[in-house]
Amino acid sequence: MLVRETPLFIDGPSGPLEALYLDVADARGAVLICHPNPVQGGTMLNKVVSTLQRTARDAGYVTLRFNYRGVGQSAGSHDMGQGEVADAQAAAAWLRAAHPGLPLVLMGFSFGGFVATALAGRLEAEGVALQHLFMIAPAVMRLTEQFPVPQRCPVTLVQPDADEVVSPALVYDWSDSLSRPHELLKVAECGHFFHGKLTDLKDLLLPRLSN
C-alpha cells in the first residue's frame, strides 16, 4: 500500500509553515529535509528533496519537509539566511516533540544544505544530539562564522563533480578546510540537480541511513 505524506502547518517564527509529514510504524529515526533557494524557485517539492524524502522513508524513517517563509503557503517573506534557519529550527522542534524518542537526522539540498548545516550547529549548541547530517550539493559559501558547523554528529557531504550552480572546487576546498572528520562523496558526470542521477543519489544515501 502506498503511504502518502500528510499536509499540515507548523507554527513558525513568521507564521504558519506549510509542510508534508510522513509517519511510519516502528521508525528507526526522524528526518528533517531542507529545500533549495526559494528565490530561484526552490520548494519542498523539488525533485532532489523528494528523492531524499523517499530514501529516508524506504530506510524506515519518519520524514518532514517544509516550505520556508514566503514559499508556497508559508507565511512571511524571504530572509535568505537567519530566517530560514529559524524556520528549520521550528520544524525540527515540531518533529522532535512528535517523536521525542527518535534520533534526528538533518538533510539539505543546495541552499537547504546551508540551512541544515547551520541548524545542526545551532541544535548542537543547545545540547541536542543528532544522528547524522547530510549535505547535498550544499551552498557552503553561505556558511560564514555566524553559522558554526556542528562538531559532534557524523557528516556526509555529497557533491556533483559537474555542478553548474555550486562550484565543486569551492565545496572541495571547504571540505579540505574542515578540521573535524566527515565523509565527502563525489558524484561523477553529475550536475547540480542530479538529472539522470537521482537513483545514484539514493543508492549513496540508503546504506548510510540503514546502518
Side-chain angles (χ1 to χ4, degrees):
M1 185 179 73
L2 180 64
V3 180
R4 295 189 179 277
E5 295 165 277
T6 300
L8 51 80
F9 285 89
I10 293 167
D11 290 335
S14 291
L17 296 171
E18 183 183 17
L20 289 170
Y21 165 66
L22 181 69
D23 196 2
V24 298
D26 302 318
R28 65 194 308 155
V31 175
L32 178 69
I33 308 165
C34 300
H35 72 70
N37 193 328
V39 173
Q40 298 173 338
T43 77
M44 65 178 175
L45 300 180
N46 169 273
K47 68 177 185 177
V48 177
V49 170
S50 295
T51 297
L52 298 178
Q53 188 277 328
R54 289 192 294 268
T55 302
R57 174 201 67 193
D58 292 352
Y61 286 77
V62 170
T63 67
L64 181 68
R65 48 176 159 165
F66 67 100
N67 280 331
Y68 309 129
R69 57 187 64 197
V71 179
Q73 297 183 59
S74 292
S77 58
H78 303 323
D79 178 74
M80 298 310 298
Q82 295 282 6
E84 284 77 14
V85 178
D87 293 341
Q89 189 168 11
W94 184 93
L95 188 56
R96 292 178 61 227
H99 299 278
L102 293 183
L104 179 63
V105 175
L106 301 181
M107 291 182 164
F109 167 53
S110 195
F111 175 81
F114 147 71
V115 173
T117 304
L119 173 61
R122 187 176 291 188
L123 290 177
E124 276 199 354
E126 295 175 354
V128 178
L130 299 174
Q131 179 177 301
H132 211 118
L133 167 65
F134 291 92
M135 306 168 66
I136 314 300
V140 296
M141 71 290 289
R142 296 180 179 272
L143 288 169
T144 59
E145 290 183 358
Q146 63 179 319
F147 299 108
V149 173
Q151 295 300 312
R152 294 187 294 278
C153 70
V155 173
T156 296
L157 173 57
V158 181
Q159 179 58 41
D161 74 353
D163 197 322
E164 71 283 10
V165 176
V166 177
S167 164
L170 184 66
V171 174
Y172 301 154
D173 287 347
W174 184 85
S175 172
D176 288 341
S177 75
L178 279 187
S179 58
R180 55 147 298 157
H182 63 287
E183 180 181 35
L184 172 62
L185 305 174
K186 300 178 181 181
V187 185
E189 300 177 356
C190 181
H192 186 70
F193 295 99
F194 291 84
H195 297 309
K197 296 284 188 176
L198 291 172
T199 300
D200 293 12
L201 176 61
K202 183 174 183 177
D203 289 345
L204 285 173
L205 299 180
L206 195 56
R208 289 165 171 83
L209 283 167
S210 301
N211 286 342

